[in-house]
Amino acid sequence: MSRLLEQIAYIRSGDKGDNVSIGVLAKTPEDYAAVLRSVTPERVHALFADWARGDVHVYPMPNIDGCLVLMEHALGGGATQTLRFDQTAKSLGYAVLRLEVVEG
């Protein structure tokens, strides 16, 4: 039975110029390893397809059982230039919660 990331993690997202920053935090310390297996640059890039026009980085943060996802060139020029509905990337983090959990 597959689970979605929303069952084991919280998110917080925002813009940094033309980049999207998404913090993914495991709901429990036991879920942290599954978060790291599930949130990879390849999986995040595939989820956003051509919205993420640059590199996708995932930085583990073991001290808080989370990771930081940074998507470069993913906002169509940034909040003051983009024609996208979500200029500041607040809803893009919630899309990450749709990823299936990769079980150990």
Side-chain angles (χ1 to χ4, degrees), residues 1 8-9 15 21 23 28 30-31 35 41 49 51 55 60-61 66 69 71-72 75-77 79 81 83-84 98:
M1 180 167 175
I8 66 166
D15 66 303
S21 175
T28 68
E30 296 77 27
D31 291 327
V35 167
W51 275 43
D55 291 335
M61 298 185 297
V69 177
M71 295 191 305
E72 297 178 355
L75 285 176
Q81 297 177 356
L83 296 177
R84 293 188 184 167
R98 297 182 323 185

Side-chain angles (χ1 to χ4, degrees), residues 6-78:
E6 70 181 349
Q7 295 173 282
I8 66 166
Y10 302 107
I11 61 93
R12 174 86 173 150
S13 62
D15 66 303
K16 303 292 182 248
D18 191 25
N19 300 329
V20 175
S21 175
I22 303 170
V24 183
L25 300 171
K27 290 183 178 181
T28 68
E30 296 77 27
D31 291 327
Y32 178 56
V35 167
L36 291 182
R37 285 191 303 271
S38 304
V39 182
T40 65
E42 298 79 19
R43 296 185 86 219
V44 172
H45 203 282
L47 176 67
F48 288 102
D50 32 329
W51 275 43
R53 297 186 178 210
D55 291 335
V56 175
H57 308 276
V58 177
Y59 300 100
M61 298 185 297
N63 58 323
I64 59 171
D65 297 324
C67 61
L68 173 68
V69 177
L70 180 65
M71 295 191 305
E72 297 178 355
H73 309 294
L75 285 176

